[in-house]
Amino acid sequence: MHLSRLSLCLIFVCLCAIESQANINDDVPLTKLGSKSGPTLKFFYCYSCGYKKVFEDYVNILRQKYPELQIDGENYNPPGANMMIAKGLGIAKILVIILIFNKINIFQWMGQPQPFWWQWCLENRLYSCVMLFFACNAAEGYLISSGAFEIHFNDVPIWSKLETGRIPQPPELFQIIDTHLQMLFPDMENGKIGLNN
């Protein structure tokens, strides 16, 4: 009986991991302008810091001033092992919650005496699962929070919040984009790129 429950729990954890990986890979940029092959502006932002709203605001502003630009955005994944640790912690969290909810004593399977804290978790299932869920979510958020708001023009970095410590003001960004557009299209008039010429 316990073995079939554990098998179901492991299958559930695997399915959750596969779905979370699929959600990461299915991140479709919100602002792709179609098949135009003009200059591109790419934003890499910290989703867990709440910068997605800032990105969307910038997209609305930039579309009005530069309709020819192709604008993309995606989450900035932190460097190093932080992302892998956060994913592992998420899977472990789900597995432990399933074990607690099903009152499975894993220490008995390992031939070890049951610690008092595991007994407390089994006796207070709802409280311990909620506490574990929120504690692990906080740890995962801390691990993947980068604070990034990076901007690339044609794959060339033009702004880095990680280096400057701040997000650019719209006039600053306009000036940077105008400079890069002027270098690409020296005959540009009044901010019009002229892709069809």
Side-chain angles (χ1 to χ4, degrees), residues 96-160:
V96 171
I97 287 174
I98 290 172
L99 292 173
I100 291 172
F101 230 80
N102 288 315
K103 289 190 172 184
I104 297 174
N105 184 0
I106 57 172
F107 295 98
Q108 182 181 10
W109 291 357
M110 295 187 292
Q112 300 292 323
Q114 180 173 302
F116 74 93
W117 58 267
W118 187 256
Q119 180 64 36
W120 180 87
C121 288
L122 295 179
E123 290 172 0
N124 303 290
R125 290 184 297 173
L126 184 61
Y127 182 70
S128 60
C129 288
V130 169
M131 189 171 66
L132 178 68
F133 180 80
F134 285 116
C136 287
N137 279 357
E140 289 173 58
Y142 176 76
L143 286 169
I144 64 170
S145 179
S146 61
F149 196 82
E150 315 300 293
I151 306 172
H152 293 206
F153 184 89
N154 285 347
D155 297 325
V156 176
I158 60 171
W159 189 273
S160 173

